[in-house]
Amino acid sequence: MSCLKIYLGYAAGVGKTYRMLEEARALRDRGVDIVIGYFEPHGRKETIAKTEGLEVIPRRLLAYGGTQFEEMDTEAILRRKPAVAVVDEFAHTNIPGSERTKRWQDVRVLLEGGIDVLTTMNVQHLESLNDQVWHVTGVRVRETVPDWVIDEADEVVFVDLTPRALRNRLERGVVYPADKARRAMENFFTEGNLGALREMAMRHTAHEVEEKLTVPANRREERLLVCLTGRPTSANLIRRAKRVADYLQAGCLAVHVAADPGSREAAERHLTFARNLRIETHVLEGTDIAFAVTEFARAKAVTQIFMGRSAPPPWWKPFAETVVQQIVRQAQDMQVTIVAERRR
Amino acid sequence: MRTIDDRPDPEELLRRVQADETREKRGRLKVFLGYASRVGKSFRMFDEGRRRKERGQDVVVATVQGAVTADIQEILSRLEVAPTLPDGAIDLPALFRRHPSVCLIDGLAHENPPGSRNRERWQDVKELLDRGISVITAVNLQHIREKQDEVERITSKRAAHSVPQAFLAEAEEIEVVDAPPEALIGRVTQGSMPDPRILAELRELALLLAADVVDLQLREYVDAHGIAARWGTQERILVCLTPRSSAADMLRSGHRNALRFHGALLAAYVEQPGLRAEDEARLESHLALARELGAEVHCLKGEDFVESILHFAHDQRISQVFLGHSGRGASFGFKRNPVDRLIDAAEDFDIRLFPHGDGA
């Protein structure tokens, strides 16, 4: 199987692409057949200089909405079949009409084609950190990569630069043009944001290193069950449960109890989201949600149920038990975790 | 044990202002942290010196450690290298006279020969900083004093010299040099091949150490700028202890979770007057277990259990609260069950309920 190596940074401008290209040059000097599959220059001179003398596979032109866009030409790379391909910006979303939606999916095609890949991404693109990044920075990152894709990488390397040095680079206009740099420093690239993102990237890289060290036999003594509803907070619930499951090396299942067809429909996108994160999903039918969930959890040997806070009872039944209260009462043989919504 | 108070008192503020003033005059310290030899931290340090010199800063190399590779040699030829004393120690008086703006110091953990002005090189660095000279230096994980036991457990070796971790935390900037083991193996030309597993464990340890330092600096920054504390990046678990809760379950689980997340474990109980002797004894044994498992134990004062926990959890940036419950059901009438009240009020932390306890 081919080898995937990810250069992980915490913001634009820390030097991921530069480090990746340095490695590419070192490999070429050792006689490895290496090509640049995709490179995003961002007008950075020092980085562009590093591509000199490396073979570049031309990008593919695609028209969308009357404008020409350039994307990586995955098929051309496959035909060229180098030993190693350099692919910048792993989290990139392709223009509609491309064969695959995401660049990481293109990379998987290259890997399956027997080509090793070096790539770059920032920590904020990790699916499991999406809520945390939003909470810290106020930015909801749209381009995300499921964690399992990164878990499957053979190597994750953390590319570090101190926030002070990064802000200096912004000031000197190395990263962005002057006006864009100024706006960036006032908004996303504040010292507080950069520090928090950097810490996340360090901890996540440590987690990836540990993940690769753990013997699979030691895993799965715990099993988590996520209760999904049609409510928008379900996405936060799924990410949080998956993150906890990954760290505890626990199994993770998701269930939705469809009391009526409408509820099933509303929950469908959350079920799809869960499956994209490689969570096994189940749909049960019934009107007694708490009973159905608890029975299912017992049958599946679940140790911990994850759920969101229940809506308050209706005004005409102010003292009625909520679903959370019912499950807590019925599932006396399990732990129940009520996940916070973590608003900003 | 301590109780909480979230507002800094005037003396604390004065201390901060004074600390800021001292810091203004002090040189800045930047540390490159590597997880093993030959990951390239010295190269990164000297390369930064070269770039700073090209940008017009007055840079002097104070020490060069061990065998010098060709690429480092090339950089050194473009920099001013200050002579050391004949015994290899830094010539501090000469450097004070020369007074560059930045000093490059390789081998931070070096021990000076007997009779030197300072016993250890990091103390020399402190003096340079105090004189307003900035220092860029490089150090290996195995030389961080507080990490030496763990490193020894992994490698079965212990470095003779070390630098206190507190010195690292004082650095304005710490940068991790995280070359993956494969690249490192390629670079080793002599001696035995390092075991990839050992290198991976060291790598993890170095990343977590750096994350802890960054976390500390982030908190200082947040405090100094009066920014409201946000959901932290580290998992912090709070186990709520009551005399009747299933404390052993919660504490063991909390301990294991904190380990897996490389997070913090805290345990708290809310002071209740007039506890029966047997409850008092139970609580004491819970607290003893908490301490045994390495939890930070806090006694909270307050009239109301829920309010005390909420306030404390917010103050301590808690991400998960572990709570026992009796499962005796919902609230009746207007007197709501504390577990339900906590669930309703919890905005930034998850609540994990453990059955068979007596709740609050």
Side-chain angles (χ1 to χ4, degrees):
Chain A
M1 184 57 192
S2 323
C3 182
L4 173 65
K5 181 165 174 176
I6 301 173
Y7 288 85
L8 184 75
Y10 69 88
V14 294
K16 299 175 297 291
T17 306
Y18 187 88
R19 284 277 300 281
M20 174 174 72
L21 290 171
E22 270 190 334
E23 164 135 18
R25 297 176 78 86
L27 288 170
R28 185 205 52 188
D29 293 346
R30 294 216 307 256
V32 175
D33 181 23
I34 187 165
V35 303
I36 294 181
Y38 189 90
F39 165 63
E40 195 58 68
H42 292 294
R44 295 171 196 162
K45 288 192 207 91
E46 284 196 353
T47 312
I48 295 168
K50 285 277 167 195
T51 62
E52 261 168 44
L54 288 169
E55 179 183 340
V56 181
I57 304 293
R59 297 177 188 185
R60 212 176 136 201
L61 283 174
L62 283 157
Y64 181 72
T67 315
Q68 290 277 334
F69 288 91
E70 294 183 342
E71 293 288 0
M72 175 165 84
D73 196 340
T74 308
E75 277 62 37
I77 302 169
L78 284 172
R79 282 195 300 277
R80 165 65 179 77
K81 204 172 186 320
V84 185
V86 171
V87 179
D88 216 0
E89 303 197 338
F90 195 50
H92 170 80
T93 302
N94 293 331
I95 287 300
S98 308
E99 281 79 359
R100 285 160 290 272
T101 329
K102 301 282 183 179
R103 182 160 297 149
W104 63 263
Q105 294 167 323
D106 286 324
V107 166
R108 286 178 66 81
V109 170
L110 295 178
L111 293 168
E112 280 156 20
I115 300 167
D116 290 348
V117 176
L118 304 180
T119 191
T120 58
M121 75 178 270
N122 281 325
V123 72
Q124 59 262 39
H125 296 295
L126 259 173
E127 185 65 58
S128 66
L129 292 176
N130 194 271
D131 297 301
Q132 211 170 339
V133 167
W134 169 69
H135 209 266
V136 169
T137 65
V139 175
R140 185 57 91 177
V141 177
R142 299 288 165 200
E143 297 191 325
T144 57
V145 181
D147 289 52
W148 61 264
V149 178
I150 288 97
D151 291 343
E152 281 183 2
D154 300 84
E155 199 66 67
V156 177
V157 186
F158 174 56
V159 180
D160 197 15
L161 184 74
T162 65
R164 189 178 125 94
L166 177 55
R167 284 173 58 89
N168 280 341
R169 296 182 69 173
L170 276 160
E171 265 171 18
R172 294 203 309 273
V174 180
V175 183
Y176 294 133
D179 56 326
K180 190 177 175 189
R182 203 176 332 104
R183 265 180 288 127
M185 285 176 77
E186 282 162 13
N187 298 305
F188 192 72
F189 286 71
T190 60
E191 251 179 82
N193 281 355
L194 293 177
L197 290 168
R198 184 170 174 235
E199 189 185 334
M200 277 181 220
M202 286 172 171
R203 292 196 189 281
H204 195 83
T205 313
H207 171 66
E208 291 295 335
V209 173
E210 181 169 318
E211 187 78 0
K212 287 168 193 26
L213 275 172
T214 321
V215 188
N218 295 347
R219 301 185 176 191
R220 313 247 179 264
E221 53 215 10
E222 279 199 64
R223 212 164 212 212
L224 272 54
L225 175 66
V226 193
C227 298
L228 295 185
T229 63
R231 292 213 305 245
T233 47
S234 282
N236 165 49
L237 177 63
I238 293 166
R239 286 191 203 101
R240 180 66 179 159
K242 184 71 173 106
R243 187 170 147 77
V244 172
D246 282 351
Y247 270 82
L248 298 182
Q249 300 181 329
C252 191
L253 305 167
V255 68
H256 170 66
V257 183
D260 54 78
S263 117
R264 162 92 202 235
E265 207 178 308
E268 198 54 56
R269 67 191 174 104
H270 297 308
L271 289 163
T272 308
F273 177 53
R275 281 192 293 272
N276 285 339
L277 302 187
R278 293 207 169 160
I279 297 171
E280 183 186 314
T281 62
H282 297 262
V283 176
L284 308 174
E285 273 166 31
T287 45
D288 188 342
I289 297 173
F291 178 76
V293 167
T294 313
E295 282 298 294
F296 179 78
R298 268 191 204 114
K300 291 281 182 185
V302 162
T303 55
Q304 206 184 136
I305 297 177
F306 261 72
M307 53 196 309
R309 192 154 51 179
S310 291
W315 61 268
W316 66 89
K317 286 195 286 188
F319 305 126
E321 253 191 336
T322 62
V323 176
V324 167
Q325 286 167 337
Q326 291 171 37
I327 289 183
V328 167
R329 180 166 49 78
Q330 290 177 29
Q332 289 282 330
D333 43 351
M334 289 164 238
Q335 292 160 15
V336 179
T337 298
I338 295 99
V339 172
E341 284 163 22
R342 296 186 167 92
R343 295 197 187 86
R344 264 177 72 87
Chain B
M1 232 180 284
R2 59 199 173 96
T3 49
I4 47 155
D5 179 12
D6 61 353
R7 253 170 288 276
D9 60 64
E11 274 176 40
E12 166 67 14
L13 284 174
L14 181 66
R15 198 191 57 75
R16 263 186 218 164
V17 170
Q18 283 168 343
D20 281 349
E21 281 171 0
T22 326
R23 212 170 290 152
E24 287 288 299
K25 286 181 216 137
R26 218 172 163 246
R28 296 181 64 96
L29 174 63
K30 177 163 183 173
V31 180
F32 284 92
L33 174 71
Y35 65 91
S37 317
R38 295 180 286 248
V39 290
K41 49 182 194 323
S42 297
F43 175 79
R44 293 278 290 278
M45 174 189 69
F46 288 124
D47 198 44
E48 168 142 359
R50 171 189 65 80
R51 275 182 282 122
R52 288 204 189 193
K53 188 175 177 184
E54 282 168 8
R55 290 206 299 271
Q57 294 185 23
D58 183 17
V59 180
V60 165
V61 177
T63 59
V64 180
Q65 193 79 2
V68 172
T69 57
D71 44 358
I72 291 182
Q73 193 55 58
E74 203 272 323
I75 296 174
L76 287 175
S77 68
R78 303 191 210 181
L79 291 171
E80 177 183 337
V81 182
T84 52
L85 293 169
D87 59 11
I90 296 173
D91 189 350
L92 282 176
L95 273 179
F96 295 157
R97 284 194 301 277
R98 167 67 181 77
H99 211 283
S101 61
V102 184
C103 231
L104 305 185
I105 294 180
D106 203 7
L108 181 66
H110 181 81
E111 196 174 62
N112 288 330
S116 299
R117 180 179 171 123
N118 291 312
R119 238 177 57 124
E120 291 169 315
R121 186 169 284 167
W122 64 268
Q123 294 165 318
D124 292 342
V125 170
K126 259 192 141 116
E127 283 204 52
L128 288 165
L129 295 170
D130 288 342
R131 302 262 176 151
I133 298 171
S134 290
V135 173
I136 309 177
T137 185
V139 69
N140 257 333
L141 175 69
Q142 71 199 61
H143 291 126
I144 305 302
R145 197 159 296 164
E146 286 77 0
K147 296 290 163 193
Q148 286 195 301
D149 287 343
E150 272 174 278
V151 171
E152 192 177 356
R153 186 183 53 72
I154 298 168
T155 63
S156 318
K157 281 183 220 143
R158 196 181 184 94
H161 313 306
S162 63
V163 179
Q165 190 173 322
F167 183 72
L168 217 60
E170 262 179 50
E172 275 77 13
E173 296 178 81
I174 171 169
E175 188 166 318
V176 179
V177 183
D178 182 41
E182 274 93 310
L184 187 62
I185 289 166
R187 257 182 253 179
V188 173
T189 47
Q190 64 219 14
S192 56
M193 287 285 233
D195 176 352
R197 208 187 147 78
I198 287 178
L199 289 176
E201 284 186 36
L202 293 175
R203 223 184 126 200
E204 188 190 358
L205 200 55
L207 284 163
L208 290 171
L209 167 63
D212 286 344
V213 173
V214 168
D215 195 71
L216 191 75
Q217 291 172 341
L218 206 55
R219 241 178 301 152
E220 280 170 5
Y221 174 84
V222 163
D223 285 352
H225 290 74
I227 302 165
R230 292 233 183 267
W231 188 15
T233 67
Q234 188 195 28
E235 285 293 330
R236 295 174 62 82
I237 297 168
L238 171 65
V239 176
C240 298
L241 297 174
T242 55
R244 308 245 163 170
S245 58
S246 41
D249 275 2
M250 290 198 286
L251 285 168
R252 294 231 158 77
S253 179
H255 176 65
R256 208 169 60 80
N257 278 254
L259 276 181
R260 298 239 43 105
F261 277 103
H262 301 285
L265 178 64
L266 291 83
Y269 70 99
V270 181
E271 228 174 34
Q272 285 172 276
L275 270 188
R276 287 210 309 258
E278 52 173 305
D279 282 344
E280 192 83 53
R282 271 211 193 111
L283 186 60
E284 267 319 311
S285 78
H286 296 343
L287 296 175
L289 177 64
R291 287 192 199 97
E292 195 184 304
L293 292 172
E296 199 184 302
V297 178
H298 295 258
C299 162
L300 310 183
K301 297 192 200 309
E303 309 270 289
D304 182 74
F305 175 85
V306 174
E307 283 303 318
S308 302
I309 295 290
L310 275 174
H311 183 77
F312 181 72
H314 181 76
D315 192 65
Q316 294 284 327
R317 298 167 299 120
I318 295 299
S319 56
Q320 306 180 35
V321 167
F322 286 17
L323 198 63
H325 76 94
S326 63
R328 273 204 299 270
S331 316
F332 291 101
F334 292 102
K335 192 171 166 13
R336 304 203 61 217
N337 172 331
V339 173
D340 293 339
R341 281 177 55 213
L342 203 56
I343 291 173
D344 286 346
E347 290 287 341
D348 349 282
F349 54 85
D350 302 339
I351 297 176
R352 189 148 150 197
L353 296 173
F354 286 69
H356 300 308
D358 195 30

